[in-house]
Amino acid sequence: MNLKKLLIFSCLFLSLQFFLNAQNGIIRGTVTDGESGEALLGATVIVFQDGQQKGGAYTDLEGKFNLKLPAGDYTVQSRFISYVTDTSEVISLAAGETKVMNVLMLPETAANEDLAVDIVARKNQASNVTLFNKKRNAIQTMDGVTSELFQRTGANDAAAAVSQVTGVTVEGGKYVYVRGLGDRYSKTILNGAEIPGLDPNRNTVQMDLFPSNLIDNIIVYKTFTPDLPGSFTGGLVDVKTKDFPDKFTLNVSASSGYNPNANLNDNFIGDIEGSRDWLGMDDGSRDRPFIANENGNLTTIPNFDTDNEIKQNIDEISKSFDKNWAPVVNPSGLNQSYRISVGNQYLFGEKNRAFGFIASLSYNNSYRYIENQIENRWRNTSNAQIGNIANSLNSEINLAGPAAEHEVLWGGLIKLSYKPSENHKVSFNYLHNQSGNNKARTLTGGIPKDDPAITFETRVVGFLERAIDVMQLQGEHAFAEGKLKADWSASYAISSQNEPDLRFFSNSLIAEDGVTNYDVDISIYPEPNRFWRELEETNGDFKLNFELPFLIKENESKLKFGGAYTFKDRTFMENRYNIALGSDAEGYEGDIADYFRDSNLGIVDTVTRRGFTRYDLGLYYQDASEARNNYTGEQDITAAYVMGVLGLTDRLKVTVGARLESTFIETIAGNDSIGRIEENDLLPALSGVFALNDKMNLRAGYSRTLARPTFREFAPFASFDFVNDALLVGNPNLQRTLVDNADLRWEWYPTFSELVSVSLFYKNFSNPIERVLDLRSQNPQFEFRNVDNGLAYGLEVELRKNFSFLAEGLRKLELGANVALINSRIDIAQQELEGIRAIDPTREARRPMFGQSPYTVNAELAYIDPEVTGLKISLNYNIFGERIAVVGGTDPNIFEQPRGLMNFTLSKTFKRFTVTARARNILDPAYLLTQEYNPEGSNNNPFVFRSYRLGRTFTLGASFKL
């Protein structure tokens, strides 16, 4: 059957189903435990009309039921052993109509008037209490956010959404830090399955790559249990995509935003745009030109003048490169966002087997412009060994200028689900996300370390393309009337990051007596160079879990066991080409386009004497690529676990078990440099939840987790780090880090939508991996090393409360806030410490862990009245404490300073239409990196390493929901 026939058949089939369904109506819904929020499998749902039974169904694995009925008036009764029978009010059902009802049943032992009132409230606000129910009844310590919250606060992507979770901060708009710990100690999964990261230098997923309209909720597990991967310490971030709805839904939205700095800016700079930049894809115009050698490398110019054949080859190659080296002006437009999603479910056959789907697509086009980005570099010139202690840091570089980014981000999701019976469900999920970032920067200033009289200019132009495809097949099953449950998943993900033709061009100039003299001096400044970088990674994740319920003195318990296998394969390639100056090259005179004209590239002069032809070179390209800068990595993790969730009393539940993980990691850089780890780790976990009363829990737990080195840290190759002006070198001798964790939490749920919790945690790190300065090398060189010990501990407080305690009319006004206070320290390697104290004898032997914030604060004041006025108003604020952005070595550490981010969102719903207005980054704080150096007797202000402002953004949007 060809594709055309298949599509025709599918359309006819769905049309027939629609016609058949249109003759009847459908009542469907979910039956859950009113206390725990857990789905009730096998509950009986009976339909009555005029006192006569007209149909019935059993709930499935998810507590869902479907009833296909003729038009009429019905009452629905839900029954389950040991639960109070629930009977609905009269439901009027029209032909072709779908009615959705959610039933929360009371256990007979908990049936009281107060709880009954609470159940009614939950029915009216079920979407608000799902997360609280999950948190209250979870065996782990966990936090999270739902789509309702991050849509209300205006979060456009997963990074902005997860930043509202207690103890979570987001660095660089992409990287999630949980409990103040860096990305090394956090892990991100999608629907329970591992996915690859796109940054070759990070151990985490770039969270800005997931548009928020594709996400249902984000859960952050903060304690380890054996059924979770063991490679997280701060937190495990599980991004859950949307599931199909109970009835047909269509959501369409569009918005436009304006930032006075970035939008409608006639001076917006960037790379020359390709024809597919609007799709976040390079169209090939930035591809490397044809390279003669079969290995893709340029032939090196010989040191003698007789090999003219090679020079002719270099001439052809040098003239084939694109001539554009400098940012160009591309006037910017407005920020734009478009989103559409559609979903439904159908019933098939006499037994009403459910098939559901959801499809969603989003597109975002945004601009960012920094009018004046400040970049400074400072050096400590002290020498304690001879008693010379500098009073201040020495200025090495001071630059400033504009920087711009034009980013396109779009994503698509399709999820299909089928239930062949009440006890079985199979689903397929496909997700594609695509991002393209066109960026440019121009900085001008001085380099006092070389010559105070000169002016230095540097330009960066580039395009970064990122993509990820995730395919997931999942199943849930119940056997023997729910006495044995099983679930499995098979996930395969492909990611890529392509950075074609990243260009750096620098020059100096001196203006004297009205004459400006330019220089491109490769002996002092980096020569003009171009990079092509490609990263590809595939991930496979396969899991199988079994759950066997049983009773301990009539208390529900269960035994869980299973296994998992994950693999990761990465390939990273980098080609670098530098500009060399031939003997006949004309000098740079301030016009980059003229400097790289054809007549100044390759062979610029030909001299023939006595039958011999000599070719003289101008500018020409030299291949600076190194085989060791290309690497491949392979990682295989095999795991098995067993755990028991034991209901020891009606108030105490204990979880005990262990997970065994077998690790194999190997990286190969060039042809013969190999790093390898082969370890087997037993990761025990013990935790308990004690219900102090019906609304209050006390949690405690201990676990062991681990952190593995990334491929980049493990690969023994050197790359230039432009931020730190130093080489960054991998270390094939790294070992994995083991972490012992202890947690204690008290939590109180005064009502179905209110929460107060206080948490304490403690983490001890053995062999933590840190980026350190190698003082043995001739030039500044950062590398990764295991240090002996690290420590982190802290306090978290969360509050969500409405204002009904002041007046009943203020019930719709809510305050949500969370605060985390965190302290960490890590031992500086002894050899590094000795080298540092040779320069700065006052330096302490410990410092905070890289990326760790001493505090985080999130707060939201919201007015929520969707039923009466249709209004949702949210004012939210978050801030983090200063954290180390760069480990300074002999120079002071570089700290990212706190900046408070405030956003405001107002939405008004008119039946099916909603209008939304947002103001983001209202306070417009400076993004500021600083160093501090205050030797005895001095009073220096912080030294600015980097500073800029992004400006405020105002957005107006509209949406339609069917």
Side-chain angles (χ1 to χ4, degrees):
M1 181 180 294
N2 60 32
L3 180 60
K4 182 177 180 180
K5 291 181 179 179
L6 180 61
L7 290 174
I8 294 174
F9 174 78
S10 300
C11 292
L12 291 174
F13 180 74
L14 292 176
S15 299
L16 177 61
Q17 290 298 317
F18 179 80
F19 174 77
L20 293 175
N21 288 335
Q23 309 309 304
N24 297 286
I26 295 174
I27 297 178
R28 62 167 53 110
T30 305
V31 180
T32 55
D33 186 309
E35 280 193 302
S36 69
E38 294 183 354
L40 295 180
L41 168 63
T44 304
V45 181
I46 303 173
V47 178
F48 294 92
Q49 187 178 51
D50 298 327
Q52 301 293 318
Q53 182 175 334
K54 293 297 182 180
Y58 294 102
T59 56
D60 62 16
L61 284 162
E62 299 171 306
K64 295 183 179 295
F65 64 89
N66 282 282
L67 293 161
K68 189 185 298 183
L69 300 162
D73 295 334
Y74 300 93
T75 57
V76 180
Q77 191 175 91
S78 303
R79 302 174 181 175
F80 198 64
I81 298 174
S82 301
Y83 283 76
V84 177
T85 298
D86 182 277
T87 302
S88 72
E89 297 178 355
V90 175
I91 298 174
S92 296
L93 184 67
E97 184 182 18
T98 298
K99 292 282 190 178
V100 179
M101 58 182 296
N102 295 304
V103 181
L104 286 84
M105 299 187 68
L106 286 171
E108 290 178 346
T109 57
N112 60 68
E113 184 176 352
D114 291 340
L115 190 54
V117 172
D118 191 28
I119 291 295
V120 172
R122 292 188 196 200
K123 288 182 180 180
N124 294 331
Q125 301 190 41
S127 60
N128 293 331
V129 302
T130 301
L131 179 63
F132 278 10
N133 275 335
K134 188 176 181 68
K135 289 176 62 172
R136 186 171 70 174
N137 295 286
I139 59 175
Q140 311 98 336
T141 299
M142 54 160 285
D143 293 301
V145 288
T146 64
S147 58
E148 179 184 356
L149 177 60
F150 53 73
Q151 287 173 9
R152 188 169 75 225
T153 56
N156 290 322
D157 56 52
V162 77
S163 67
Q164 301 168 59
V165 176
T166 307
V168 173
T169 56
V170 177
E171 186 263 328
K174 298 179 175 67
Y175 306 107
V176 174
Y177 290 8
V178 183
R179 286 180 162 174
L181 302 175
D183 58 84
R184 172 187 315 287
Y185 302 106
S186 300
K187 190 178 189 68
T188 300
I189 57 178
L190 180 70
N191 297 320
E194 295 197 27
I195 52 176
L198 294 175
D199 190 328
N201 298 326
R202 297 275 190 159
N203 190 35
T204 187
V205 175
Q206 296 173 335
M207 293 288 283
D208 65 324
L209 200 56
F210 296 92
S212 60
N213 74 305
L214 305 184
I215 302 169
D216 184 63
N217 62 73
I218 301 175
I219 302 298
V220 180
Y221 297 97
K222 293 183 175 179
T223 59
F224 167 72
T225 53
D227 56 341
L228 298 175
S231 54
F232 78 91
T233 297
L236 176 70
V237 182
D238 191 359
V239 180
K240 299 285 189 181
T241 55
K242 289 186 177 297
D243 205 350
F244 64 87
D246 288 318
K247 62 180 180 178
F248 177 78
T249 61
L250 173 66
N251 292 276
V252 181
S253 66
S255 65
S256 184
Y258 174 71
N259 182 309
N261 291 2
N263 300 110
L264 305 180
N265 184 342
D266 291 336
N267 297 315
F268 197 88
I269 58 175
D271 192 11
I272 295 176
E273 294 189 355
S275 61
R276 295 197 298 174
D277 280 16
W278 69 279
L279 288 173
M281 303 176 182
D282 177 52
D283 62 359
S285 60
R286 301 179 179 93
D287 287 352
R288 285 191 306 158
F290 171 76
I291 303 298
N293 283 5
E294 61 182 13
N295 62 1
N297 295 329
L298 291 175
T299 304
T300 302
I301 293 294
N303 293 324
F304 49 88
D305 294 333
T306 57
D307 199 337
N308 292 322
E309 182 178 349
I310 292 179
K311 289 186 178 181
Q312 288 177 310
N313 189 24
I314 291 298
D315 176 74
E316 178 185 359
I317 292 172
S318 296
K319 290 177 179 175
S320 66
F321 277 82
D322 183 83
K323 306 299 190 299
N324 179 49
W325 280 82
V328 297
V329 175
N330 294 309
S332 61
L334 294 172
N335 294 343
Q336 302 171 64
S337 177
Y338 306 96
R339 303 179 179 189
I340 182 171
S341 65
V342 59
N344 201 359
Q345 64 170 288
Y346 301 91
L347 300 180
F348 295 100
E350 295 181 358
K351 295 186 177 180
N352 294 333
R353 301 310 184 199
F355 168 79
F357 78 93
I358 185 170
S360 182
L361 184 67
S362 67
Y363 180 86
N364 297 281
N365 187 349
S366 61
Y367 298 84
R368 187 175 87 162
Y369 186 80
I370 299 168
E371 185 174 357
N372 189 46
Q373 179 170 324
I374 296 172
E375 293 283 343
N376 297 325
R377 300 296 181 267
W378 307 91
R379 184 71 66 195
N380 186 350
T381 58
S382 301
N383 188 336
Q385 293 178 328
I386 61 174
N388 180 18
I389 304 299
N391 292 325
S392 179
L393 297 180
N394 192 51
S395 176
E396 299 271 294
I397 300 174
N398 48 76
L399 306 173
E405 293 185 14
H406 177 197
E407 183 171 45
V408 168
L409 170 64
W410 63 271
L413 166 73
I414 183 166
K415 184 169 186 177
L416 310 174
S417 185
Y418 178 64
K419 297 176 181 176
S421 73
E422 289 88 353
N423 295 336
H424 303 279
K425 176 185 177 182
V426 179
S427 60
F428 173 76
N429 189 45
Y430 172 73
L431 174 76
H432 175 82
N433 287 334
Q434 183 81 35
S435 170
N437 191 312
N438 186 320
K439 56 189 177 183
R441 186 185 69 191
T442 299
L443 299 175
T444 303
I447 305 187
K449 68 175 182 178
D450 293 324
D451 187 346
I454 69 171
T455 298
F456 179 70
E457 298 176 326
T458 182
R459 305 155 192 85
V460 181
V461 186
F463 181 82
L464 178 65
E465 176 183 342
R466 300 177 292 163
I468 183 170
D469 290 272
V470 182
M471 292 156 281
Q472 297 177 324
L473 187 64
Q474 298 172 316
E476 299 176 56
H477 311 275
F479 306 96
E481 298 181 350
K483 294 179 180 178
L484 175 64
K485 296 180 181 180
D487 66 84
W488 55 270
S489 65
S491 176
Y492 185 75
I494 304 172
S495 68
S496 62
Q497 178 167 291
N498 182 27
E499 197 165 16
D501 204 7
L502 175 64
R503 282 145 284 164
F504 296 86
F505 184 90
S506 302
N507 66 271
S508 62
L509 62 94
I510 297 179
E512 295 179 336
D513 300 327
V515 177
T516 302
N517 295 310
Y518 295 87
D519 194 9
V520 179
D521 191 338
I522 62 175
S523 65
I524 300 177
Y525 314 114
E527 65 270 28
N529 49 66
R530 312 172 84 132
F531 290 84
W532 275 263
R533 294 170 175 157
E534 296 180 37
L535 180 147
E536 292 186 359
E537 183 173 310
T538 58
N539 275 52
D541 189 349
F542 306 91
K543 291 184 171 70
L544 177 61
N545 303 295
F546 294 95
E547 181 180 307
L548 183 63
F550 62 95
L551 296 177
I552 299 179
K553 296 181 180 180
E554 299 184 353
N555 296 308
E556 294 183 357
S557 304
K558 57 187 174 183
L559 174 68
K560 291 191 70 174
F561 57 95
Y565 170 70
T566 63
F567 71 83
K568 180 186 298 185
D569 294 311
R570 174 183 288 184
T571 301
F572 178 80
M573 299 182 64
E574 177 186 272
N575 291 92
R576 174 177 176 173
Y577 305 99
N578 296 340
I579 291 294
L581 304 179
S583 58
D584 281 21
E586 294 185 18
Y588 174 65
E589 296 294 336
D591 187 333
I592 296 178
D594 180 69
Y595 186 56
F596 287 102
R597 68 187 186 277
D598 278 351
S599 60
N600 199 32
L601 283 168
I603 298 173
V604 297
D605 193 18
T606 303
V607 179
T608 302
R609 291 181 181 177
R610 300 177 182 178
F612 172 77
T613 302
R614 188 188 75 207
Y615 298 102
D616 294 330
L617 294 174
L619 304 178
Y620 62 91
Y621 282 83
Q622 281 190 321
D623 192 347
S625 306
E626 295 188 44
R628 65 175 184 167
N629 285 12
N630 302 327
Y631 70 90
T632 59
E634 177 185 353
Q635 176 177 290
D636 293 280
I637 310 296
T638 305
Y641 76 92
V642 61
M643 58 182 282
V645 182
L646 311 177
L648 300 182
T649 71
D650 59 349
R651 291 185 177 273
L652 176 62
K653 185 181 293 184
V654 173
T655 301
V656 60
R659 184 181 185 92
L660 178 64
E661 290 198 349
S662 177
T663 301
F664 172 81
I665 307 176
E666 182 179 75
T667 59
I668 301 176
N671 298 318
D672 54 5
S673 298
I674 298 176
R676 179 177 293 172
I677 290 179
E678 293 184 81
E679 295 283 355
N680 294 312
D681 292 295
L682 185 64
L683 307 174
L686 173 64
S687 62
V689 183
F690 183 74
L692 299 172
N693 55 44
D694 292 339
K695 298 182 179 181
M696 196 178 296
N697 289 332
L698 184 65
R699 300 176 180 273
Y702 161 81
S703 65
R704 170 167 286 191
T705 56
L706 56 83
R708 301 180 178 95
T710 66
F711 287 133
R712 173 62 188 90
E713 295 166 344
F714 208 42
F717 79 92
S719 61
F720 188 73
D721 184 343
F722 292 94
V723 173
N724 301 312
D725 195 29
L727 288 176
L728 186 63
V729 182
N731 180 2
N733 298 315
L734 289 175
Q735 300 297 313
R736 50 87 174 98
T737 303
L738 293 176
V739 188
D740 290 296
N741 311 274
D743 289 84
L744 180 67
R745 171 180 283 193
W746 170 81
E747 56 191 24
W748 176 37
Y749 298 85
T751 68
F752 65 91
S753 62
E754 296 179 315
L755 165 68
V756 181
S757 71
V758 180
S759 304
L760 298 171
F761 66 89
Y762 173 90
K763 300 179 183 296
N764 186 62
F765 299 79
S766 298
N767 291 325
I769 300 171
E770 289 285 299
R771 187 168 63 177
V772 301
L773 181 65
D774 184 4
L775 299 170
R776 299 167 298 176
S777 58
Q778 182 176 359
N779 298 311
Q781 177 173 300
F782 285 92
E783 65 179 40
F784 302 96
R785 295 182 195 162
N786 291 104
V787 297
D788 292 336
N789 188 261
L791 189 68
Y793 55 91
L795 166 72
E796 295 176 333
V797 179
E798 182 176 7
L799 168 70
R800 183 159 288 276
K801 177 72 175 174
N802 66 53
F803 285 77
S804 60
F805 66 95
L806 296 178
E808 184 60 30
L810 297 178
R811 178 174 294 277
K812 296 170 184 178
L813 185 64
E814 294 184 2
L815 173 67
N818 59 75
V819 178
L821 304 176
I822 305 162
N823 192 13
S824 75
R825 63 174 184 260
I826 200 158
D827 297 328
I828 300 175
Q830 184 61 35
Q831 185 178 26
E832 181 187 10
L833 182 62
E834 291 174 358
I836 291 173
R837 286 180 170 172
I839 303 297
D840 182 2
T842 65
R843 190 72 63 89
E844 295 182 0
R846 292 172 172 173
R847 59 169 174 77
M849 297 183 74
F850 173 79
Q852 181 267 321
S853 297
Y855 66 85
T856 65
V857 178
N858 291 291
E860 183 200 19
L861 183 63
Y863 178 82
I864 309 166
D865 185 20
E867 289 84 9
V868 180
T869 63
L871 276 175
K872 292 183 180 180
I873 305 173
S874 172
L875 179 67
N876 64 88
Y877 175 84
N878 65 74
I879 191 171
F880 59 85
E882 70 169 15
R883 56 193 179 198
I884 292 181
V886 180
V887 178
T890 56
D891 298 313
N893 295 323
I894 298 168
F895 285 88
E896 182 179 357
Q897 294 301 314
R899 59 184 187 279
L901 300 178
M902 180 178 288
N903 302 321
F904 175 79
T905 302
L906 168 66
S907 68
K908 168 69 174 175
T909 299
F910 305 89
K911 293 185 178 180
R912 299 190 181 278
F913 287 91
T914 300
V915 177
T916 304
R918 295 189 177 105
R920 300 183 62 82
N921 196 30
I922 296 172
L923 303 178
D924 191 23
Y927 180 98
L928 187 63
L929 299 181
T930 65
Q931 296 168 278
E932 289 191 4
Y933 178 71
N934 291 294
E936 187 175 354
S938 67
N939 185 22
N940 297 314
N941 292 320
F943 297 86
V944 175
F945 180 88
R946 178 179 298 138
S947 177
Y948 59 81
R949 294 180 186 272
L950 292 175
R952 302 169 180 86
T953 301
F954 305 93
T955 303
L956 184 63
S959 63
F960 170 80
K961 182 177 182 180
L962 183 61

